[in-house]
Amino acid sequence: MIRKAPSRAVRQTPSPAATRPVSALQDAADASPATRALRTLQTKAQGAAQSGTTAPLQLKSRQTVSGEFLNGGYAANMTIGFFGHHIALNGHDNLAAVRTHAARNPPPQTNTVIMDAHALKTGLAAGAWADLGNAWRVTTAGNVTLQDTTKAPGPFNGSFPGNAALLPPATTGADADRFTVANGVVTAVTDATQQEVANAVAQIGAYPPGTKKDRRRDYRKRLVEAINAARTAAAEAGQAAWVTGNFSQIGATPVANNPAVTTLAQINAIAKRQAQVSVRVDKDSGNIFHYGA
């Protein structure tokens, strides 16, 4: 009779990982760079979902942001603060520069206004991009039109005067109802003061004799134009006085108590300067910020 030798079980040594508690394994997984990155994205997505917005789960590339500069319209990519503080909002003249300066709250003593957002974004798209980690510092490829404004000491004296309220043009026969004529002289026009009408009549002459409709229509047209021209001139004089009363310099030119700068045309003729501009561009949103903001 053949006896079997007793079997011996092979003793296996457990791996170090198997001897670790489950919590230690989880801690190691949590500490991995991949897990941390995933959780960061999940946190951003959850926060965005709670706020009703879509989270930017991937940083924008330089090419994407540069393309948005060129295709995004006037205000796209501009943060509210940068746009309101450093971009001329109401045109490209010096009046727009001082109005932009005055709109800051509180207004600084000096302010540099970029006169053309289109030119700025075009210059940035082709400019020098320095990587700052979560943003770029971008310098325009060429010079951009700027205007420096210096506020006079103290608070602003009054608010900016608005543009003139103009009468509608007189171009048709139906416009005759707006005019009152006595003894061949226009004495009243709807929505105009008697003094405005008198000044306009003194400028262009009395009502034309005769009954031809085209002559009367032409006269009414010229009369309204004279009233509107006077209103525009008065409004521009008020705007010029506000500028010279609230700003000491535009660029390097003194404007307060300067007899050579008294009209809006003279104010807008003060030369602007040309320089490169540097801004900070956020990689997450592609928005343009003032550098260092």
Side-chain angles (χ1 to χ4, degrees), residues 35-52:
T35 301
R36 290 200 305 270
L38 179 60
R39 289 196 171 181
T40 298
L41 295 177
Q42 290 172 337
T43 300
K44 292 178 70 175
Q46 290 168 357
Q50 292 172 358
S51 63

Side-chain angles (χ1 to χ4, degrees), residues 49-148:
Q50 292 172 358
S51 63
T53 61
T54 301
L57 298 182
Q58 184 174 358
L59 297 180
K60 292 177 178 285
S61 69
R62 170 183 165 177
Q63 289 76 17
T64 298
V65 174
S66 179
E68 288 175 351
F69 287 171
L70 300 176
N71 300 319
Y74 186 80
N77 303 108
M78 303 287 185
T79 65
I80 294 175
F82 181 83
F83 187 71
H85 294 168
H86 299 285
I87 299 289
L89 301 176
N90 299 290
H92 299 164
D93 56 19
N94 288 339
L95 185 62
V98 296
R99 291 182 66 183
T100 302
H101 183 167
R104 297 192 64 172
N105 186 23
Q109 190 64 25
T110 61
N111 198 40
T112 297
V113 179
I114 300 169
M115 304 306 295
D116 188 343
H118 288 293
L120 170 66
K121 294 201 296 181
T122 300
L124 292 175
W129 294 59
D131 198 326
L132 304 179
N134 63 345
W136 295 283
R137 177 176 180 173
V138 188
T139 303
T140 53
N143 292 337
V144 175
T145 302
L146 311 169
Q147 186 57 283
D148 301 307

Side-chain angles (χ1 to χ4, degrees), residues 1-281:
M1 181 175 180
I2 301 174
R3 294 182 179 180
K4 288 185 177 180
S7 62
R8 296 181 180 178
V10 178
R11 184 177 182 181
Q12 296 180 346
T13 302
S15 66
T19 61
R20 294 180 187 173
V22 173
S23 59
L25 293 174
Q26 186 63 49
D27 290 343
D30 289 346
S32 70
T35 301
R36 290 200 305 270
L38 179 60
R39 289 196 171 181
T40 298
L41 295 177
Q42 290 172 337
T43 300
K44 292 178 70 175
Q46 290 168 357
Q50 292 172 358
S51 63
T53 61
T54 301
L57 298 182
Q58 184 174 358
L59 297 180
K60 292 177 178 285
S61 69
R62 170 183 165 177
Q63 289 76 17
T64 298
V65 174
S66 179
E68 288 175 351
F69 287 171
L70 300 176
N71 300 319
Y74 186 80
N77 303 108
M78 303 287 185
T79 65
I80 294 175
F82 181 83
F83 187 71
H85 294 168
H86 299 285
I87 299 289
L89 301 176
N90 299 290
H92 299 164
D93 56 19
N94 288 339
L95 185 62
V98 296
R99 291 182 66 183
T100 302
H101 183 167
R104 297 192 64 172
N105 186 23
Q109 190 64 25
T110 61
N111 198 40
T112 297
V113 179
I114 300 169
M115 304 306 295
D116 188 343
H118 288 293
L120 170 66
K121 294 201 296 181
T122 300
L124 292 175
W129 294 59
D131 198 326
L132 304 179
N134 63 345
W136 295 283
R137 177 176 180 173
V138 188
T139 303
T140 53
N143 292 337
V144 175
T145 302
L146 311 169
Q147 186 57 283
D148 301 307
T149 52
T150 304
K151 177 180 170 292
F156 279 106
N157 182 19
S159 58
F160 177 77
N163 294 328
L166 302 181
L167 297 176
T171 57
T172 68
D175 289 319
D177 294 340
R178 296 164 51 193
F179 300 83
T180 301
V181 183
N183 299 321
V185 176
V186 176
T187 58
V189 178
T190 302
D191 296 328
T193 67
Q194 286 188 328
Q195 188 61 57
E196 286 180 317
V197 174
N199 291 345
V201 169
Q203 178 182 340
I204 70 172
Y207 205 65
T211 58
K212 290 185 178 181
K213 292 182 179 180
D214 56 342
R215 295 189 65 187
R216 295 197 300 269
R217 185 182 300 120
D218 179 69
Y219 181 86
R220 292 192 297 267
K221 177 177 180 293
R222 291 190 295 117
L223 189 70
V224 168
E225 289 173 348
I227 293 172
N228 284 342
R231 288 187 176 188
T232 298
E236 289 184 352
Q239 292 171 349
W242 179 86
V243 173
T244 58
N246 286 293
F247 286 85
S248 58
Q249 285 186 200
I250 297 178
T253 302
V255 295
N257 302 314
N258 184 350
V261 182
T262 60
T263 68
L264 207 56
Q266 291 168 332
I267 289 169
N268 286 331
I270 296 172
K272 305 174 185 68
R273 69 183 176 93
Q274 305 292 313
Q276 288 182 298
V277 172
S278 292
V279 299
R280 184 174 68 85
V281 177

